[in-house]
Amino acid sequence: GPKVLQIPSHQIIDMGQMVTLNCDPVSNHLYFYWYKQILGQQMEFLVNFYNGKVMEKSKLFKDQFSVERPDGSYFTLKIQPTALEDSAVYFCASSRTGWETLYFGSGTRLTVL
Amino acid sequence: GDQVEQSPSALSLHEGTGSALRCNFTTTMRAVQWFRKNSRGSLINLFYLASGTKENGRLKSAFDSKERYSTLHIRDAQLEDSGTYFCAADNTEGADRLTFGKGTQLIIQP
């Protein structure tokens, strides 16, 4: 089936540094998403993105977070600066129309020290 | 409180048997998806339903928006069916914003 690729699979950084998580969505998909899963908790919605703009974001999407997809390249989540509570697995997803199945990547495990 | 209540949290089945997983919703949902997380952590899409039932091999899912629940039935369970199963539902009018259940850890025993 369609594949969403996330790079890297693991990232360890020091608190206060910037980090960029990369997602290569399914090629003909137009809607993109980030979800966050803290260890032992449910996956939670962060943000969705369409036509170059953030459409919706949750309260978890702090001011330090930003997303973009410049010129059809990777869909990225940037955190600047990072905080200890940002440690989690971040899942990227994409869908073709926003009313169909979401396809998820395998996640990037972010550890902030 | 949680909008998606998934049960059971864990389930052990012998090969060849079957059972059902269930998600109850505290509000009206527009659509539901079911996933299986494999040993590598990948979320495998099983079903997307906006209504009714769908069947795929030994899996069958139903979604009743009005009664606020969805089920995933597994029959003739095989060892490779082991994993954690999640339902996720969407109650928004815009692009999908899924609320996930806490998952059911399914173990298939020989």
Side-chain angles (χ1 to χ4, degrees):
Chain A
K3 295 264 190 256
V4 174
L5 300 176
Q6 288 190 242
I7 303 162
S9 57
H10 294 82
Q11 179 108 36
I12 301 173
I13 59 169
D14 291 321
M15 183 177 62
Q17 284 190 313
M18 180 194 77
V19 68
T20 300
L21 308 183
N22 297 298
C23 172
D24 187 10
V26 179
S27 60
N28 62 344
H29 285 187
L30 301 176
Y31 290 79
F32 312 110
Y33 312 81
W34 284 103
Y35 284 75
K36 176 181 180 181
Q37 185 174 29
I38 294 173
L39 186 64
Q41 299 183 21
Q42 288 146 277
M43 282 175 64
E44 293 189 89
F45 170 83
L46 278 178
V47 65
N48 57 27
F49 187 86
Y50 168 73
N51 198 26
K53 289 178 282 198
V54 169
M55 296 180 64
E56 278 187 281
K57 55 186 179 181
S58 72
K59 61 181 185 300
L60 297 179
F61 194 79
K62 304 182 300 183
D63 291 343
Q64 297 89 332
F65 289 26
S66 63
V67 291
E68 63 175 356
R69 191 184 188 217
D71 300 323
S73 60
Y74 287 144
F75 175 53
T76 62
L77 173 65
K78 182 186 292 185
I79 309 174
Q80 181 178 28
T82 51
L84 295 176
E85 61 265 27
D86 296 331
S87 293
V89 181
Y90 290 84
F91 291 90
C92 173
S94 69
S95 78
R96 195 169 62 89
T97 65
W99 290 81
E100 297 180 3
T101 303
L102 264 68
Y103 292 89
F104 281 82
S106 298
T108 293
R109 181 177 298 278
L110 176 65
T111 302
V112 181
L113 302 175
Chain B
D2 288 350
Q3 291 187 327
V4 178
E5 298 162 354
Q6 187 170 348
S7 61
S9 57
L11 179 63
S12 179
L13 295 175
H14 287 288
E15 268 188 297
T17 63
S19 189
L21 314 181
R22 185 178 178 102
C23 282
N24 290 326
F25 311 120
T26 57
T27 187
T28 301
M29 297 297 185
R30 180 181 66 78
V32 68
Q33 277 191 247
W34 283 92
F35 301 90
R36 179 174 63 86
K37 182 175 274 193
N38 65 15
S39 57
R40 291 189 301 277
S42 299
L43 275 176
I44 311 298
N45 287 72
L46 299 176
F47 294 103
Y48 174 93
L49 296 101
S51 65
T53 62
K54 285 187 179 178
E55 191 164 356
N56 185 3
R58 296 177 290 101
L59 299 178
K60 181 177 179 179
S61 183
F63 172 50
D64 190 326
S65 176
K66 184 179 175 185
E67 298 299 324
R68 300 184 179 179
Y69 76 90
S70 179
T71 56
L72 177 69
H73 291 259
I74 301 173
R75 62 175 176 82
D76 188 24
Q78 303 297 305
L79 295 176
E80 61 264 27
D81 294 331
S82 293
T84 303
Y85 290 74
F86 294 92
C87 69
D90 172 24
N91 66 348
T92 61
E93 290 301 318
D96 289 291
R97 177 178 175 155
L98 296 176
T99 300
F100 278 78
K102 291 184 176 178
T104 296
Q105 186 176 12
L106 177 64
I107 298 171
I108 308 301
Q109 300 180 11

